[in-house]
Amino acid sequence: NILLLHYPVEGFVGVYGEEPVIRLNSIPKTCQLVAVGHLHRHQVKRLGDTAIVYPGSTERVSFAEEEEPKGFVWAELNREGLVSLDHVKTQARPYKTIETMFPEKDAIERLKQLIDQHADPQLVLRLVIKGVVEAEKLTEYRRSELLLHAQTRLFHLMVDDNGLEIKSPEKPSTLEKTTPLEELRRYFSTLMQTASAEEREILAEALRLSEGMLEEAGAW
């Protein structure tokens, strides 16, 4: 007896969250083979005389699968049950992730060189760029130029630059609390330090008039 399903089954890697699952104790003991789809990783469990088999996918569909072997299952059965079960590997398209810190100099050219080191027309490459970068340095970086460069070198390039952080400038020092009139007097005081006696008289009159105008406007 063969049971075909496309559903997550309890106890297999990849079943998570609130996804409904088939409980192991609900699988009929009279089935010799339970062939299941849905999970992309090849896995096998045996419950007595029953083999529960996920053949897995024949191709990779995400970077979560880049280390997984891909293929299909060749199963042989006779009237008594399962005779043999073999996982036949396929030449699945390779997926690969490389991580790099943002180059300090010639950023775009160095990133292109890194792509060239992994050039393969069959490869799906994920380039993860990290680092704390000054805003001025980011002007050298263009994701579109990397994607264009990879078109003749890779099957597909994915650039993940979410790990890039812009370096924050230093916070300005806190200014002393002051008022408009205090600032006005401080300004004129600075001018008077280098002024001649005649200039000081003019500055003193200018200060008096300016104070009056600010006071009229409600300054303190």
Side-chain angles (χ1 to χ4, degrees):
N1 295 318
I2 302 174
L3 175 61
L4 300 178
L5 300 169
H6 192 280
Y7 226 80
V9 177
E10 176 186 26
F12 285 83
V13 176
V15 179
Y16 56 88
E18 298 182 2
E19 212 173 15
V21 298
I22 295 174
R23 300 299 176 192
L24 292 176
N25 59 14
S26 70
I27 294 175
K29 295 180 180 180
T30 54
C31 290
Q32 283 74 44
L33 175 64
V34 181
V36 202
H38 185 67
L39 302 182
H40 291 184
R41 178 182 295 188
H42 168 57
Q43 302 171 74
V44 178
K45 280 186 182 295
R46 293 184 180 271
L47 295 177
D49 295 329
T50 303
I52 307 171
V53 181
Y54 277 99
S57 58
T58 56
E59 283 286 349
R60 297 179 177 90
V61 297
S62 76
F63 286 97
E65 302 173 22
E66 62 182 278
E67 299 296 333
E68 292 180 7
K70 295 298 176 179
F72 60 90
V73 165
W74 182 273
E76 293 187 13
L77 301 96
N78 59 21
R79 291 185 179 277
E80 283 71 43
L82 190 65
V83 175
S84 66
L85 195 68
D86 297 302
H87 186 241
V88 181
K89 293 181 180 179
T90 53
Q91 294 297 319
R93 186 178 304 283
Y95 276 54
K96 187 172 187 178
T97 298
I98 55 174
E99 294 187 6
T100 184
M101 300 302 291
F102 189 85
E104 294 183 3
K105 294 182 179 179
D106 303 322
I108 203 72
E109 291 304 319
R110 290 182 181 273
L111 291 171
K112 285 181 181 179
Q113 291 172 8
L114 184 58
I115 291 170
D116 290 343
Q117 292 172 14
H118 299 273
D120 179 349
Q122 296 300 318
L123 178 65
V124 178
L125 179 67
R126 176 170 59 177
L127 177 61
V128 180
I129 308 172
K130 299 180 178 181
V132 180
V133 188
E134 295 177 359
E136 185 179 346
K137 289 286 185 182
L138 280 179
T139 59
E140 305 173 12
Y141 171 67
R142 292 171 297 281
R143 187 191 306 166
S144 58
E145 190 169 337
L146 295 178
L147 296 174
L148 184 63
H149 180 77
Q151 281 185 355
T152 58
R153 294 165 173 81
L154 300 168
F155 183 81
H156 180 69
L157 173 67
M158 174 183 170
V159 179
D160 180 354
D161 49 19
N162 292 323
L164 282 180
E165 298 179 29
I166 299 178
K167 186 177 182 180
S168 301
E170 294 182 6
K171 294 182 179 179
S173 57
T174 306
L175 296 176
E176 181 183 349
K177 290 184 178 180
T178 184
T179 69
L181 280 172
E182 287 173 348
E183 280 303 308
L184 178 70
R185 291 163 186 153
R186 183 180 299 162
Y187 174 71
F188 274 93
S189 175
T190 303
L191 293 178
M192 288 179 182
Q193 290 176 8
T194 57
S196 63
E198 183 179 356
E199 290 172 335
R200 279 199 292 273
E201 291 181 11
I202 297 172
L203 289 169
E205 179 64 15
L207 174 60
R208 185 184 66 77
L209 292 172
S210 299
E211 286 177 329
M213 294 174 67
L214 281 176
E215 286 172 349
E216 286 180 13
W220 67 100

